[in-house]
Every structure is written in C-alpha cells, then in structure tokens.
Amino acid sequence: MSKPYYVTTPIYYINDVPHVGHAYTTFAADTLARFYRARGRDAFFLTGTDENSQKTVEAAQAAGRPIGAFTNSMSKRWRETWQQLGIDFSRFIRTTEDEHRQAVEKFLKKLEAAGAIHKGVYEGWYCEGCEEFKRDEDLLPGGFCRLHPNRKAKRLSEENYFFALSRYAQPLLEHYSRHPDFVQPTERRNEVRRFVEGGLSDLSISRPGKSWGIPLPLDPTHRVYVWVDALINYLTGVGFASSDRMPYWPADVHLIGKDILKFHAVIWPAMLMAAGIELPRAVVAHGFFTIEGQKISKSLGNAIDPLVLADKYGSDALRYFLLREIPFGSDGDFSEAKLKERYTGDLSNGYGNLLSRVSTMVAQYLDGKVTGKPGNELRDSVAALESELEVAVGRYRFSDALEAAWRFIARLDRKIQETKPWEMAKTGKSDQLVHVLSELHFGVTRLTELLTPFLPEAVAKALPVLTAKKVVKLPPLFPRIE
Ligand code: MSP
C-alpha cells in the first residue's frame, strides 16, 4: 500500500485578508488533494492561519480589538473564504491552538536534547514586516527593508537562543544532491543551493520580553521566533503533539510562494534533521503575481477579494483561470479582463458548450439512452489524456494538464462538426447515429471525471446527469456573463 498523500499550503498571516495570490496557492493544493483522492489515494490537505506574529498584535491594536477576539474573527474569515471557494481542506490549523503549542514544545525539546540550541547575543537587523533577521546587504539605505520600503528595520542587540543552523549546510547540500526533486522548480533549487553554499549562520529562534507568541520551553521569558513556530504546523497538523508515528508524514509536498523559499528549503529541513524527523519529499515554489502590472498591496488598495470574483464567475472559473493562465513556478499578471476572456472562451464556449450539445443530442436523438460502445481509437485517446494529466500534475504543471484536457475538448468538437449528428438524425435512429453519440457521450463523461480536481462544482453537477440511466439536457454550467 502506498503511503497516504499529504499536501500543505503556507499558513496565512491574519493581519491581512485573503487575496487572489493566497487563493492561488490554496487552489493548487486543493487540486492536488482532489487529484489523488480521485485516484483512490487517501489524501490529507492542511491549511490554516499563522497567528503568533508581532503583526497580529499591531493589527489588533489598529483595529482597537482585544487580541483574542481579533484572531478568532480573522482566522474565521480565512477559513470561510476557503470554504466558499470550494476548498476541501482536511484540517484548518491555527497556531494559537493548544495542540500546536504542545507540538512546538515537543519539537524544541528534541532540538535541545540533540544539542542544537545554545544561548548567544543577536546583533543585527530585524524586519517586522518579513518577521525576519536581515543582513546589512538585505537593506536599503537608511535601514529600510527591500520588501517593506516603508518599514524601517529594527536594530537589535539582545540575548537570544540560537538554533545551530550552520551545522547543517553540508547535510543540506548533500540532501539536495541526493534528492534533485526536493526543491522545485530547478531555478529555485539552484537559488537555494547557492544560498547554502555561501554558508549558514546560526538562527536566532527566540525573542525576549514579548508577550505574544509561544513561550520557549527552556526559558519561558522568551517567545519562540514566529517562523520556527509556524513551520512546525506541518507536523502539528498530522498529530505530532501526541505521537511520533504520523501516518501522513512525511509531507509529499509543501506548496509555497517563492518569497518564503529559504524558510521551507533551508531552515525547515535543517530543523527536521536536528530533531531526527524525516524530511518532506518536496518543496515546490510558485511565482508571484501582480494585478494589472502592479504589486498586490494593501496601500495600493488593489488586493482583489477572491470571493468577489467567485461571486461573479464562480469559484471553478477562478480556480481554472489561475491554474491555466500562469504556468506554476512563473510570475504572472492577474487581470479581470483575462479571467473573463478565459471564462467565455474556454468554459462557456468550450467545455460548457460541449457538455450541453452532447447531452442535448443524446436526450433528443436517443431518448437519453446510450447503448453503443466507444471504439478503440477514442478509448486510446482518453487513456493518453489520463496519463498526460498524471505526468503534468505529478510535476505541478497544472497549465499543461489543462491544455491537454482542452485539446481533447477540441477533438470532440471536431468530431461533432465532422459527423453532424443532427443530419444523421433526420433519417431516424441509425446504428451510425447511436455509435457517434455513444462515443461523444463516452468522451465527455470520461473527460468530466478527469476534470474533477480542476472544476469540482461543475463536475458535481454534470456527472450525475451524464451517468444517469436516462441522460437529459444539461443546463448551461457557465452561463454567459453580461
Ligand atoms: N505566514 C507565512 C507563511 C508561514 S508557512 C509555515 C506567510 N504568510 S503570507 O500570508 O504572507 O503569505 C503566504 C503565501 O501567500 C505566500 O508564500 C504565497 O504562497 C502566497 N502569496 C501571497 N501573495 C502572493 C502573490 N502576490 N502572488 C502569489 N502568491 C502570493 O508568508
């Protein structure tokens, strides 16, 4: 029996609300989980919220709300957004949960027992926007962070506990060599390699004198550095607090944006090595996208709420667009005009139209009863599509998978054009008509099954109609907009 499948998204900061960039990662993870479930594998999908950040404290203050009430309502907003977008997560984790605190304590005790924690003085910069320690060369003149140009990095000189990250440079390089798929795509793997080859310094993993965050077990006057706390969520989510035996671990893939590569491909595997826990199989980073050419940002006010788009086009269409338009791994640009174009071209006039034409003809000309068997050629091309999807999804090439499916749609459309079943029907229900429509019905039904992970809502409506004893005309699944 193969190990059950386990996929994660980053856990999202709750000082912000969900935008299409976050929806992108989450749709991709959901699609993977659904893809393997559809193939009979037990798949566990973890997502959630990262709440122990200093940014949470600031955001709660800015909102004038007690922190507990603030975190509860923000986390709820994230959770409900995903639910409304048809995201079928197995567990939604919050880092303020008791179970997570226990997991973090347990993990840190393992690090301590392995002699991988020591006390020292941290002298340097810290950007609270990134929640990250910075080197001089990471900052702009005047001490401003490159990623948060309106936030001055703080100069810190404080006693901290450190994780012996420097010890793991060599083991990490060996791991990357032995497991070429550990960091994907290749460009990102090279970036990580170069970074580690430059040498690693020990990592400060605690902050003194803070009142928010998880207390460090060996010195509760310190709070655990938020990234160390956050990364451990991937273990908490599959039961680490109560047992070292975790049937879902190791994760098959941590899906992330390229902005948080170093944490996932350097710090996290080093932490796991030190704790003696198996490493995830892959860390796959996608690109970043802009909105109509501009960086998504609160101050520009261009952060599009994915629910607004889903209300207008449906969540399937948003998922389809994001996965189809931007090759996973590359940067891209989001615009509603492009979404609308794909909605109309690929979904309304493409797949949607094919479904209604085939169901209508089967209902009209065959009285809804499919009696013929598909020929070998068609069976072969369905099998070919199936393996193309398997390969593309296995390499996180969602856009390739969808392109292959749409080539198959074009093929079925051509078949309709060439055979003209409506002409055949004029002379009654011939064997030839039964054959052609049975083939079309077979093609559309198998295609619909294969599209389950990509268009879950449409498939849930279409499949029962296509596979019923008596097929009826399907209502338009992607009605024209405006
Ligand atoms: N809390 C950390 C992650 C901890 S994981 C142990 C964090 N959160 S975040 O909310 O700021 O961002 C999470 C992820 O959202 C990014 O890594 C990325 O996957 C996604 N994106 C945020 N903005 C995005 C774009 N503009 N474009 C594409 N993805 C984006 O970092």
Side-chain angles (χ1 to χ4, degrees), residues 11 13 19 21-22 25 50 227 234 257 259-260 286 288-289 296:
I11 46 173
Y13 285 132
H19 63 56
H22 308 120
T25 326
D50 186 352
W227 263 101
Y234 300 132
D259 55 328
I260 54 178
H286 62 69
F288 245 53
F289 47 89
I296 307 182

Side-chain angles (χ1 to χ4, degrees), residues 253-405:
V253 58
H254 295 315
L255 286 189
I256 57 167
K258 65 176 187 182
D259 55 328
I260 54 178
L261 182 65
K262 208 170 69 190
F263 295 103
H264 285 81
V266 179
I267 296 176
W268 178 228
M271 284 166 60
L272 289 165
M273 283 175 180
I277 298 170
E278 218 179 318
L279 268 50
R281 302 219 165 119
V283 172
V284 177
H286 62 69
F288 245 53
F289 47 89
T290 45
I291 292 189
E292 289 167 9
Q294 287 191 297
K295 182 179 165 203
I296 307 182
S297 98
K298 242 193 207 165
S299 45
L300 287 173
N302 65 348
I304 304 180
D305 181 349
L307 288 181
V308 171
L309 295 169
D311 256 358
K312 198 157 159 195
Y313 301 93
S315 60
D316 274 3
L318 181 60
R319 173 192 303 246
Y320 172 79
F321 173 75
L322 293 172
L323 296 180
R324 172 69 187 78
E325 181 76 15
I326 305 158
F328 210 68
S330 312
D331 292 336
D333 185 51
F334 180 90
S335 82
E336 193 178 338
K338 283 189 268 185
L339 165 61
K340 194 169 173 189
E341 214 175 287
R342 288 239 175 243
Y343 178 88
T344 308
D346 298 3
L347 297 173
S348 268
N349 299 340
Y351 177 55
N353 187 45
L354 175 68
L355 277 175
S356 47
R357 283 178 94 184
V358 172
S359 62
T360 305
M361 291 191 289
V362 169
Q364 245 177 13
Y365 307 144
L366 304 184
D367 197 26
K369 293 192 186 68
V370 182
T371 51
K373 294 264 171 287
N376 286 339
E377 204 190 319
L378 184 64
R379 281 184 190 280
D380 289 349
S381 67
V382 168
L385 172 61
E386 204 169 348
S387 51
E388 276 181 284
L389 294 182
E390 188 83 39
V391 171
V393 173
R395 296 187 185 144
Y396 312 98
R397 296 193 181 144
F398 303 103
S399 55
D400 288 358
L402 290 168
E403 261 179 54

Side-chain angles (χ1 to χ4, degrees), residues 196-274:
V196 176
E197 279 163 0
L200 298 175
S201 335
D202 289 347
L203 176 75
S204 163
I205 58 160
S206 76
R207 307 288 312 276
K210 298 276 173 200
S211 56
W212 185 243
I214 299 177
L216 192 73
L218 80 162
D219 181 348
T221 65
H222 283 242
R223 302 283 163 145
V224 177
Y225 170 42
V226 65
W227 263 101
V228 166
D229 146 10
L231 289 163
I232 296 170
N233 96 85
Y234 300 132
L235 289 173
T236 313
V238 290
F240 177 69
S242 52
S243 168
D244 281 4
R245 278 178 187 277
M246 299 169 280
Y248 290 103
W249 191 261
D252 288 79
V253 58
H254 295 315
L255 286 189
I256 57 167
K258 65 176 187 182
D259 55 328
I260 54 178
L261 182 65
K262 208 170 69 190
F263 295 103
H264 285 81
V266 179
I267 296 176
W268 178 228
M271 284 166 60
L272 289 165
M273 283 175 180

Side-chain angles (χ1 to χ4, degrees), residues 55 125-154 295:
K55 289 191 267 194
W125 302 100
Y126 191 82
C127 169
E128 283 181 345
C130 300
E131 291 284 12
E132 190 177 0
F133 302 96
K134 299 278 178 187
R135 299 166 302 177
D136 290 340
E137 60 265 39
D138 298 330
L139 300 173
L140 297 169
F144 291 93
C145 167
R146 278 176 208 283
L147 301 175
H148 299 90
N150 44 18
R151 258 183 200 263
K152 207 174 163 122
K154 292 203 169 131
K295 182 179 165 203

Side-chain angles (χ1 to χ4, degrees), residues 373-386 388 408 411-412 414-415 418-419 435 438-440 442-443 446:
K373 294 264 171 287
N376 286 339
E377 204 190 319
L378 184 64
R379 281 184 190 280
D380 289 349
S381 67
V382 168
L385 172 61
E386 204 169 348
E388 276 181 284
F408 186 72
R411 185 192 154 108
L412 295 179
R414 263 198 317 276
K415 197 176 178 67
E418 284 163 12
T419 55
H435 176 69
S438 301
E439 283 219 309
L440 286 169
F442 171 80
R446 291 293 292 124

